[in-house]
Amino acid sequence: MLNAILIKKQKSLGFTLLELLVTIAVIGILSSVSFSMIKEYRKKAYNVVARSAYHAAYLIGVDIFQSFENVKGLDHDLQSEKIFLRKSGELFP
């Protein structure tokens, strides 16, 4: 009996076709899930970069406005504008 088990183990040195197909299917499923997640992460990263650029442009505009505020004698309350933009859901501090 023991000899039969040892002989059977020696003959099965490789993988069966079914085992290989299951392995390939599992790898395919995992790669499709990971590619869809990578796509979402790229989209979120692009949105963060766009918001950052928009915020930088806003800060430059505020800086320019404040530098010319005294020259032209404009009376504008930037603090109330920031509060309004914060309540409306924009990214501004």
Side-chain angles (χ1 to χ4, degrees), residues 35-93:
F35 284 137
S36 65
M37 291 176 70
I38 289 173
K39 184 178 168 184
E40 290 296 320
Y41 290 142
R42 284 184 181 172
K43 190 185 298 184
K44 287 179 182 179
Y46 178 76
N47 287 340
V48 168
V49 169
R51 283 183 173 211
S52 176
Y54 184 69
H55 184 66
Y58 171 77
L59 292 177
I60 290 171
V62 167
D63 188 40
I64 291 171
F65 181 78
Q66 286 177 348
S67 65
F68 286 108
E69 185 177 16
N70 295 332
V71 174
K72 295 183 179 182
L74 297 173
D75 187 21
H76 186 72
D77 187 13
L78 284 175
Q79 197 64 24
S80 65
E81 182 179 337
K82 287 182 183 178
I83 291 171
F84 170 74
L85 291 172
R86 190 177 301 132
K87 287 181 181 176
S88 66
E90 295 293 328
L91 183 65
F92 309 113

